[in-house]
Amino acid sequence: MKGNSTGWRGTAAKVILPVALAVVFVLYTGFLDGNPGVASAEWADRPWHLFANAFPALLCAMLLLVLTRRALLSFALAFLAQGIVLAVSAIKMKNLGSPLLPADFRMVGQLKNGGLHLLGGYLPTNPLPYLAIAATIALIVLLAKYEPPLFARRTHGRRLASGVALVALIGTLFAGLPAWAHMYDKDRLGMQPWSAASNAGYNGVVTTLMQFRLQNAGKKTKADAGEASRFIASTDGALRQHMADAAANTRQTPDIVIVQSESFFDPSVIKGLQEQDFAPNLHRLAKHASFGQLHVPTYGGGTIRTEFEVLTGLSLRYFPTMQFPYLQMHAGVMPGMVRALRAHGYETVAVHGNDPGFWNRTAAFRALGFDRFVSQKDFPANATKNGEYMPDSAMTDEIMAQLKNDGPPRFVFAISMEAHGPYDKSTIANTAERDAIAVPDGISDDAKLQLRNYVYHMRHADAELGRLADLLKKRERPTLLLFYGDHLPALTETYAKAGFTNGRDMLTQTVPYILIDAHGDGPAPRHDDLAAWMLPGRLMEQAGVHDDAYYALTQVVAPQLAALTRAPDAPETSEDAQLKYTDVSMGNVAMLRMKNKLGPMVAQYTPLDTSMMARQGGDQEDAAAAGVRQ
């Protein structure tokens, strides 16, 4: 009887300890998550929400328990891993206003390509988080050495069966198997798919990760070719007229320079700064150039989203699962502006003073059709930094070095880095100049420092815009210069507390673009707002390249669709029936374009003399040219 009692108690202890640890784990996950909807205090009212938010890590803890046979060690390891995920999400939320999302895990592969240095700048300087991690690791080491096993090593196959089952559960969960959608069902937990930040506040970070992972699981958006064809036919008159008007531009072929300026925008839109002129060169040049506001598909980061739209003319609005396009592109030949210009005899060069592998640009630029990629290693070794990254002055020098007065025309696409965040750690050469920058009242000292650091570098970008425009004006060859910001800088606290003079929030703000015709021998300047994916059509028409019906179509629909482009976490804009039809139809067109299947639908709009265009030879370019007309 005594033996049975001892065995019963031993078995109960082996069950009670993991269960108790699981309950503590769920409650502490709510505390560490920090979002009100899954706070530990909500355990009585929202137990399922707290459990769902901790469930993936609980599964990992149970698997570790099966492998190590030590309960405290297993839960400590799971807690450390989950704590790191939640901490990274908190850092992203602080800087970008959005929690960690499934696509962000693609960044892990970019750490070796300069990403560790860039992203490491956002880590906290306060030693407490690192001390907490060190203490947790020390505890784990002690538990691994001294904690006794909870059950025997040999269990007649039960450990093996449990381990296989747990691996299968974890594997299918992280793979986003649609069956898991029942657990994270939006009707049971609630979901705000239009705002990851709001969803995390209500359901927690981990649940948000799972819901956004599962919402598109097993779904593949297919283009409706019939609807795309009908839409193009409905625009026939406007499309033909637009292409005829563009064909009247018979200018001398210009060189083309694009500057994608890191985080460039006009801070005077912030309340309290509206009386200051932060971009005198931009405003000076805008008086005699095409100028407007640009709707971009990202906020605070994700440069390649805007970059992709500009280089391809494709709106990421129509590819919702493509969060980081350069990391998700699979096409060997990507149709876009680069290949279109190559088909017209241009040599195409990309310039970027950073690691060429970051954001997978080396492979992506090859797919997009660039002839050469001038990256950090190709810049002068003595280029003096005025901050953490390559200065815009060095980029201007490199752009001018790539332009020649003889040979074929050049297309130079330059990506700046000087104004890149984080802005609380930027190395400043002239602190007196930085500290003299006026900032609005009502924001913290940290926010003031970040804003001053940003404006300091942003002014250099404006100065280099002025210098580059003046240098191009003196060239013998006609040259077009397109300059635009890729997104707003991540000054989240300043925006939240000061607000904007136009009444919009930070996720719907625009950035400026300017298109300068250095010799003024092309079409007259135009002042209107565009979306990033509409820029290549506008630029090529200014250059006299007007044989691609797809780009002409982007200009025909530009006034209607431009404002729909916004950061992924921004609330959706209401659309009336006509706008919805145009939006959906343009989505079908874009998907066909991406797959190089649009050609037959727009062939009737292709000018008859396109075969006379200068083209670079080679079988690969011939294959690419087939996509150029798509």
Side-chain angles (χ1 to χ4, degrees):
M1 190 73 169
K2 183 178 179 180
N4 291 337
S5 176
T6 302
W8 178 84
R9 290 174 181 172
T11 301
K14 293 176 182 179
V15 173
I16 291 172
L17 179 59
V19 170
L21 287 172
V23 172
V24 172
F25 191 91
V26 169
L27 294 175
Y28 203 68
T29 296
F31 168 77
L32 196 64
D33 185 290
N35 283 295
V38 290
S40 302
E42 297 290 321
W43 69 270
D45 297 327
R46 313 183 84 223
W48 182 254
H49 289 77
L50 270 70
F51 175 73
N53 197 43
F55 181 68
L58 277 175
L59 282 180
C60 292
M62 296 309 296
L63 177 60
L64 288 168
L65 176 58
V66 170
L67 295 174
T68 68
R69 299 180 295 132
R70 290 164 173 81
L72 294 174
L73 173 64
S74 300
F75 277 87
L77 285 168
F79 175 76
L80 176 62
Q82 179 172 262
I84 292 173
V85 170
L86 294 176
V88 171
S89 181
I91 292 171
K92 186 188 174 194
M93 189 69 196
K94 176 184 176 182
N95 287 280
L96 302 182
S98 177
L100 202 62
L101 292 171
D104 295 325
F105 287 89
R106 295 178 182 273
M107 288 297 299
V108 174
Q110 296 302 302
L111 295 179
K112 64 181 183 296
N113 298 324
L116 186 61
H117 168 68
L118 191 150
L119 299 177
Y122 291 95
L123 295 177
T125 56
N126 189 321
L128 291 180
Y130 305 105
L131 292 175
I133 292 174
T136 304
I137 293 174
L139 176 63
I140 288 171
V141 171
L142 291 174
L143 289 172
K145 186 173 183 179
Y146 295 111
E147 184 186 9
L150 193 62
F151 46 82
R153 181 187 298 273
R154 299 182 181 279
T155 59
H156 306 289
R158 289 191 294 272
R159 282 181 67 202
L160 177 61
S162 299
V164 170
L166 286 165
V167 168
L169 287 173
I170 294 170
T172 55
L173 178 63
F174 290 167
L177 199 69
W180 283 104
H182 295 291
M183 177 172 182
Y184 290 95
D185 183 62
K186 63 181 180 180
D187 293 328
R188 175 182 296 152
L189 297 176
M191 185 181 181
Q192 301 176 48
W194 56 87
S195 174
S198 298
N199 198 75
Y202 186 74
N203 285 330
V205 170
V206 175
T207 292
T208 295
L209 277 167
M210 296 312 307
Q211 287 185 319
F212 277 74
R213 177 75 177 90
L214 292 164
Q215 70 172 340
N216 293 314
K219 298 179 182 178
K220 289 187 177 180
T221 305
K222 294 182 178 180
D224 187 333
E227 184 58 40
S229 181
R230 287 188 292 273
F231 173 67
I232 293 171
S234 72
T235 66
D236 183 87
L239 184 57
R240 290 186 187 278
Q241 184 61 53
H242 186 90
M243 296 188 73
D245 293 342
N249 177 15
T250 56
R251 62 174 301 158
Q252 179 184 350
T253 301
D255 284 345
I256 298 174
V257 175
I258 296 181
V259 173
Q260 179 173 274
S261 188
E262 172 62 40
S263 299
F264 188 90
F265 89 121
D266 188 347
S268 64
V269 74
I270 299 174
K271 289 181 179 179
L273 300 179
Q274 57 265 41
E275 301 302 324
Q276 300 187 55
D277 188 357
F278 295 95
N281 289 282
L282 175 72
H283 299 147
R284 167 179 65 86
L285 294 166
K287 295 176 182 177
H288 306 287
S290 294
F291 176 79
Q293 292 299 307
L294 191 68
H295 298 270
V296 293
T298 187
Y299 161 78
T303 293
I304 57 169
R305 291 179 60 80
T306 302
E307 188 175 312
F308 173 85
E309 290 202 351
V310 171
L311 290 175
T312 64
L314 295 169
S315 172
L316 287 171
R317 175 180 178 80
Y318 305 128
F319 305 93
T321 61
M322 192 178 285
Q323 184 71 17
F324 300 124
Y326 288 177
L327 305 182
Q328 296 170 260
M329 279 170 39
H330 301 296
V333 172
M334 177 64 68
M337 174 168 55
V338 185
R339 294 195 179 278
L341 292 174
R342 285 186 69 179
H344 281 261
Y346 278 80
E347 289 186 3
T348 56
V349 183
V351 175
H352 183 39
N354 196 28
D355 189 312
F358 189 59
W359 284 130
N360 199 36
R361 279 192 174 99
T362 301
F365 283 175
R366 188 181 304 117
L368 287 164
F370 280 104
D371 294 311
R372 290 188 296 111
F373 184 11
V374 178
S375 61
Q376 186 176 26
K377 67 182 185 302
D378 305 307
F379 277 63
N382 61 350
T384 302
K385 289 186 177 181
N386 192 355
E388 300 297 316
Y389 305 103
M390 192 69 68
D392 282 9
S393 57
M395 183 187 68
T396 298
D397 294 340
E398 190 59 43
I399 290 171
M400 295 306 299
Q402 295 300 323
L403 297 174
K404 310 297 181 184
N405 283 322
D406 55 4
R410 287 283 179 97
F411 168 58
V412 179
F413 181 76
I415 308 159
S416 80
M417 281 293 291
E418 181 177 340
H420 201 291
Y423 304 109
D424 56 346
K425 302 176 183 178
S426 182
T427 303
I428 299 297
N430 189 337
T431 54
E433 177 187 340
R434 187 271 313 276
D435 294 342
I437 296 171
V439 294
D441 296 327
I443 60 176
S444 69
D445 289 341
D446 286 343
K448 290 177 180 178
L449 174 64
Q450 292 179 42
L451 179 56
R452 286 188 171 111
N453 281 340
Y454 166 73
V455 171
Y456 176 85
H457 292 301
M458 168 263 166
R459 282 177 168 171
H460 291 173
D462 176 73
E464 289 306 313
L465 166 62
R467 182 166 80 98
L468 179 58
D470 292 342
L471 290 171
L472 296 179
K473 188 175 182 179
K474 297 174 183 177
R475 295 189 70 226
E476 179 181 341
R477 277 191 165 185
T479 311
L480 293 179
L481 170 60
L482 172 62
F483 177 99
Y484 64 90
D486 56 352
H487 52 69
L488 262 66
L491 303 170
T492 305
E493 181 189 332
T494 295
Y495 305 145
K497 291 184 177 180
F500 295 94
T501 58
N502 57 20
R504 299 177 186 165
D505 65 20
M506 62 189 182
L507 299 179
T508 58
Q509 290 297 324
T510 54
V511 294
Y513 80 89
I514 185 170
L515 176 54
I516 302 167
D517 196 332
H519 289 185
D521 51 359
R526 299 172 60 180
H527 297 163
D528 54 355
D529 297 346
L530 297 172
W533 57 281
M534 299 167 183
L535 277 182
R538 177 64 57 85
L539 173 64
M540 288 195 293
E541 286 182 1
Q542 188 77 16
V545 178
H546 44 68
D547 59 309
D548 191 320
Y550 173 76
Y551 286 120
L553 184 62
T554 66
Q555 303 307 293
V556 170
V557 303
Q560 306 169 65
L561 298 181
L564 297 181
T565 292
R566 50 189 56 206
D569 205 33
E572 286 289 335
T573 304
S574 60
E575 302 178 61
D576 59 29
Q578 182 57 46
L579 182 59
K580 183 69 174 178
Y581 167 74
T582 303
D583 188 20
V584 172
S585 298
M586 198 62 194
N588 288 317
V589 171
M591 285 184 276
L592 292 170
R593 167 82 169 185
M594 170 77 87
K595 296 179 180 179
N596 290 325
K597 294 181 178 180
L598 192 63
M601 298 183 190
V602 296
Q604 60 182 310
Y605 302 101
T606 303
L608 296 177
D609 62 348
T610 53
S611 61
M612 301 303 294
M613 292 186 302
R615 292 172 59 184
Q616 296 180 0
D619 294 340
Q620 183 176 358
E621 187 56 27
D622 288 340
V628 169
R629 307 282 190 281
Q630 303 296 315

